[in-house]
Amino acid sequence: MLRPIVKHGEKVLQTPALPVTTFDDALHTLIDDMIQTMYAAPGIGLAAPQVGVPLQVCVIDLTVGKRGGEVITLVNPEFVEREGMQLEEEGCLSVPGFQATVPRAQRVVVKGLDRDGREVVVEGIGLLARALQHEIDHLNGRLFLDRLRGLQRDLIVRKIRKMRRAGRW
Ligand SMILES: [Zn+2]
């Protein structure tokens, strides 16, 4: 089932998500819905707070579902390694229409659990490293806008406020 994606301004996007403790049907349904919603958007990553659920769950698929079996599901993820630096343009399904260059680590290693609670370790370099950092930021209540310099961030936030007042956000 597709779930609506919440946008910048919703409190759930600014609130740290809670760890998952129960690996039940409700969690599996949430994960399946998130994957479907990410592909439909389309996007390469989605975090549970973006569908209004304050849990530490995210999904990533750099192929947007074009190749089977490439989706990464992470529950309660945390960094175990972070190194190097990359500067690339980044966007977010919760901040549609805006992109900015965001500094990120070039390589990360993330430890987390899969949908059944089994431990998984994911190494990401380049785009995958960026996606992992972007989604884990969501789970900590942060958007890519929060990683921009103040002036750049303020400019985008002002535009969003204007759009919201006009009923276009
Ligand atoms: Zn995002």
Coordinates of all heavy atoms in Angstrom, one line a residue, residues 50 92-93 134-135 138, ligand 1:
Q50 N 9.3 9.7 7.3 CA 8.7 10.3 6.1 C 7.3 9.8 5.7 O 6.7 10.5 4.9 CB 9.7 10.1 4.9 CG 11.0 10.8 5.0 CD 11.9 10.6 3.8 OE1 12.5 9.6 3.7 NE2 11.8 11.6 2.9
C92 N 15.5 15.4 -1.4 CA 14.8 14.6 -0.4 C 13.3 14.6 -0.8 O 12.7 15.6 -1.2 CB 14.9 15.2 0.9 SG 14.0 14.4 2.2
L93 N 12.6 13.4 -0.7 CA 11.2 13.3 -1.1 C 10.4 14.2 -0.2 O 9.2 14.6 -0.5 CB 10.8 11.9 -1.0 CG 11.4 10.9 -2.0 CD1 11.0 9.5 -1.8 CD2 11.1 11.3 -3.5
H134 N 22.0 10.1 4.6 CA 20.8 10.9 4.5 C 19.6 10.2 5.3 O 18.9 10.9 6.0 CB 20.4 11.0 3.0 CG 19.2 11.8 2.7 ND1 19.2 13.0 2.1 CD2 17.9 11.5 2.9 CE1 18.0 13.5 2.0 NE2 17.1 12.5 2.4
E135 N 19.5 8.9 5.1 CA 18.4 8.2 5.8 C 18.6 8.1 7.3 O 17.6 8.3 8.1 CB 18.2 6.8 5.2 CG 17.9 6.7 3.7 CD 16.8 7.7 3.3 OE1 15.8 8.0 4.0 OE2 16.9 8.2 2.1
H138 N 17.5 11.2 8.8 CA 16.1 11.2 9.0 C 15.7 10.6 10.4 O 14.8 11.1 11.1 CB 15.3 10.5 7.9 CG 15.0 11.3 6.7 ND1 14.3 12.5 6.7 CD2 15.4 11.1 5.4 CE1 14.2 13.0 5.5 NE2 14.8 12.2 4.7
Ligands
ZN1 ZN 15.1 12.5 2.7

